[in-house]
Amino acid sequence: MDTHRPFAAYIDALPKAIGDNGFNIVGIACATCAIRNAFNEAVPGNRVFLFFRPDYARRMLRASTEAGIEAPIRLYVTETEDGTARVTYRRPSQVFGTYGIDDLTAMGRELDVHVATILQTAGEAG
C-alpha cells in the first residue's frame, strides 16, 4: 500500500496511530539503522512495526496455541524512490483464517478493521 506520505513522517505517525487504536507496540526493527551502524552505508529507510493486544492474545491462544506463531501483527514500512512510505503486511484474516478455526477467522476479520484504521490514522496524521 502506497501511503503518498513522506517516509519519516509516516514512521513517526505510526506508533501513535497504533497506540491510539488500543494496541501495544512490542517491537520496532530497523535494518536501515543496523546497516548504517555496522557498515556506515546508506540504504532506503525501512521499519518493521510489531504490535498486538492482550485480549486478542488470549482469544488466539484459547482457539489455538499453534496460532501463537502469527502474533504480533507486523507492518513493514519501506521508503520508495520518491521518499514516500509504502506499507506491506498480511491481512490478519488471511493469516488466522488458514487455521480453519471459526474463532480465529472471526478474530482475524476484527483485526483487519483495526489494521485498516491504524493505517488510515497514520496516513492522515500531521
Side-chain angles (χ1 to χ4, degrees):
M1 175 190 113
D2 288 318
T3 68
H4 307 288
R5 296 224 31 233
F7 175 79
Y10 195 82
I11 63 167
D12 287 346
L14 198 50
K16 182 172 179 1
I18 291 168
D20 286 353
N21 283 279
F23 286 82
N24 301 311
I25 294 177
V26 297
I28 300 173
C30 176
T32 302
C33 306
I35 292 167
R36 181 178 49 240
N37 291 337
F39 305 109
N40 197 27
E41 190 176 309
V43 297
N46 67 67
R47 299 289 188 286
V48 179
F49 290 84
L50 304 103
F51 61 96
F52 216 58
R53 279 183 9 195
D55 58 324
Y56 281 112
R58 180 174 57 187
R59 285 175 61 188
M60 174 189 63
L61 293 172
R62 283 183 177 165
S64 167
T65 55
E66 290 80 11
I69 190 71
E70 310 301 349
I73 296 169
R74 292 172 291 284
L75 300 176
Y76 181 44
V77 185
T78 54
E79 183 178 15
T80 63
E81 287 185 20
D82 67 0
T84 59
R86 176 177 294 142
V87 180
T88 304
Y89 70 101
R90 291 187 175 89
R91 284 184 300 172
S93 61
Q94 291 177 320
V95 171
F96 290 109
T98 62
Y99 288 84
I101 299 171
D102 290 343
D103 290 343
L104 283 179
T105 300
M107 185 186 80
R109 287 188 191 116
E110 291 173 31
L111 289 167
D112 283 352
V113 173
H114 287 295
V115 171
T117 301
I118 287 165
L119 295 173
Q120 180 178 353
T121 301
E124 295 171 350

